[in-house]
């Protein structure tokens, strides 16, 4: 099982955005891993009789994580971390178990609030959101401390910080990430969203534009499209029609057969500046 990646940790406006732990439980692909009772017993026995090897702990924890049994995984990994304090696989899996459980609690609180939006359901939702983002911050910092070269973690760290209200520190993290060529477009896109929420419209537009138009290295098509859409929408909302036209023109160049974009561009061209 792959550990949670920086993309899994990245969130935008709510903690569940862009978190892709496995597949949705509603899809046929989300089949709970079947493991025989005999294998469970073998692994538990191996941990009991020969606790000096990390492999049984890791295998058993991975089984629990694949089945979203966060507490069982945490139990095994807590024991393992006492034995193998420097084992990276165990440290990472333990963090993944914490994140999985925290996200589950947030999703439950969010579902309860959507079902019955009251003060009684809003308070647990807000509390679980803070706890999840606090955990994301701690884990990103811990992983960066263990692996200072993992600068990709600056992006999810920044988003967690913003959600916790530490906007200035989040901006510093993203600006540091922009200095890394491979992270440049992603960090600029995230910075654009942050500035949008902070109502710093010129800074937001500048960030979206940079995210879309970097030449070395160029952004992925998905990132470029998202940045241009965000820039076009933001420009149009604030009456910057000329800018909105230009961003939509670039989107049309990317998707020349898109009728909706063509209609939008025609409408913008007919709108007085």
């Amino acid at each position: 099982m792959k550990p949670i990646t920086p993309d899994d940790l990245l969130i935008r406006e709510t903690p569940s955005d862009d978190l892709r732990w496995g597949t949705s439980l509603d899809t046929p692909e989300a089949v709970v891993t079947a493991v025989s009772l005999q294998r469970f017993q073998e692994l538990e026995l191996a941990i009991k009789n020969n606790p000096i090897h990390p492999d049984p702990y890791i295998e058993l924890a991975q089984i629990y994580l694949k089945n979203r049994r966060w507490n069982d995984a945490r139990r095994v990994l807590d024991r393992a971390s006492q034995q193998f304090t420097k084992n990276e696989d165990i440290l990472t899996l333990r963090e993944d178990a914490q994140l999985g459980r925290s996200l589950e609690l947030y999703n439950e609180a969010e579902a309860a609030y959507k079902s019955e939006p009251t003060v009684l359901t809003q308070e647990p939702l807000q509390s679980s959101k803070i706890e999840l983002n606090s955990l994301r911050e701690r884990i990103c910092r811990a992983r960066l401390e263990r692996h200072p070269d993992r600068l990709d973690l600056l992006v999810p760290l920044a988003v967690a910080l913003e959600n916790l209200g530490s906007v200035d520190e989040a901006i510093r993290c993203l600006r540091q990430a922009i200095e890394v060529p491979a992270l440049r477009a992603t960090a600029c896109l995230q910075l654009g969203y942050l500035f949008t929420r902070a109502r710093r419209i010129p800074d937001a537009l500048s960030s979206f534009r940079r995210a879309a138009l970097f030449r070395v290295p160029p952004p992925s098509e998905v990132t470029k499209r998202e940045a241009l859409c965000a820039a076009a929408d933001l420009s149009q909302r604030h009456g910057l029609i000329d800018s909105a036209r230009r961003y939509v023109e670039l989107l049309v160049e990317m998707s020349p057969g898109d009728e909706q974009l063509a209609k939008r561009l025609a409408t913008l061209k007919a709108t007085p500046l």
Side-chain angles (χ1 to χ4, degrees):
M1 187 200 76
K2 294 194 298 182
I4 289 178
T5 68
D7 280 346
D8 297 321
L9 290 170
L10 190 145
I11 52 179
R12 294 203 176 109
E13 294 187 30
T14 65
S16 56
D17 286 352
D18 287 340
L19 195 142
R20 296 176 289 279
W21 179 284
T23 54
S24 168
L25 291 177
D26 297 327
T27 64
E29 293 81 7
V31 179
V32 174
T33 304
V35 179
S36 69
L37 177 60
Q38 179 182 355
R39 187 56 184 158
F40 271 114
Q41 291 173 336
E42 289 171 351
L43 291 169
E44 292 283 6
L45 194 61
I47 291 171
K48 179 180 179 181
N49 295 337
N50 194 13
I52 62 172
H53 293 291
D55 290 350
Y57 291 96
I58 292 171
E59 183 180 347
L60 186 57
Q62 286 176 329
I63 292 169
Y64 284 137
L65 287 172
K66 286 179 180 178
N67 288 280
R68 296 174 171 81
R69 292 173 60 176
W70 316 118
N71 290 334
D72 287 324
R74 178 72 184 274
R75 170 181 56 82
V76 171
L77 292 162
D78 281 349
R79 291 172 58 191
S81 63
Q82 294 172 5
Q83 288 283 107
F84 314 101
T85 57
K86 302 296 185 182
N87 186 293
E88 181 61 26
D89 288 337
I90 288 171
L91 291 173
T92 299
L93 289 171
R94 187 169 181 267
E95 291 165 348
D96 290 352
Q98 293 174 292
L99 280 169
R101 178 56 178 160
S102 186
L103 178 65
E104 184 176 70
L105 291 173
Y106 172 81
N107 287 337
E108 289 173 357
E110 184 181 46
Y113 180 73
K114 287 181 177 178
S115 175
E116 188 178 354
T118 65
V119 173
L120 291 177
T121 55
Q122 185 180 33
E123 289 179 355
L125 175 61
Q126 185 62 24
S127 175
S128 62
K129 179 178 180 180
I130 292 171
E131 289 174 5
L132 177 57
N133 280 287
S134 296
L135 180 60
R136 291 178 191 272
E137 179 195 357
R138 291 198 302 273
I139 288 176
C140 284
R141 290 191 190 278
R143 291 183 179 181
L144 276 166
E145 185 175 350
R146 298 198 302 268
H147 305 285
D149 59 323
R150 287 289 310 277
L151 297 178
D152 51 328
L153 289 165
L154 288 168
V155 176
L157 173 59
V159 182
L161 286 167
E162 185 198 353
N163 277 274
L164 292 169
S166 300
V167 174
D168 289 342
E169 189 176 1
I171 292 171
R172 286 195 294 272
C173 284
L174 290 171
R175 284 179 170 160
Q176 185 180 349
I178 289 170
E179 298 303 313
V180 182
L183 303 176
R184 191 170 288 157
T186 298
C188 266
L189 178 63
Q190 193 62 55
L191 193 57
Y193 286 123
L194 187 158
F195 283 140
T196 299
R197 289 188 286 272
R199 300 183 185 280
R200 294 171 56 174
I201 306 308
D203 289 332
L205 288 172
S206 174
S207 296
F208 288 138
R209 182 170 58 251
R210 294 177 69 198
L213 301 179
F214 275 124
R215 293 185 179 181
V216 182
S220 69
E221 183 174 333
V222 171
T223 297
K224 181 175 182 178
R225 189 183 307 277
E226 186 172 347
L228 289 173
C229 285
D233 292 345
L234 189 59
S235 297
Q236 192 167 357
R237 283 202 305 272
H238 288 272
L240 304 172
I241 304 303
D242 195 40
S243 294
R245 286 178 188 171
R246 178 55 183 152
Y247 295 130
V248 175
E249 284 173 350
L250 291 171
L251 286 167
V252 170
E253 289 177 11
M254 292 183 70
S255 303
D258 191 315
E259 293 183 3
Q260 290 297 111
L261 283 175
K263 289 179 181 178
R264 183 178 182 183
L265 181 57
T267 299
L268 284 169
K269 286 183 175 180
T271 302
L273 297 178

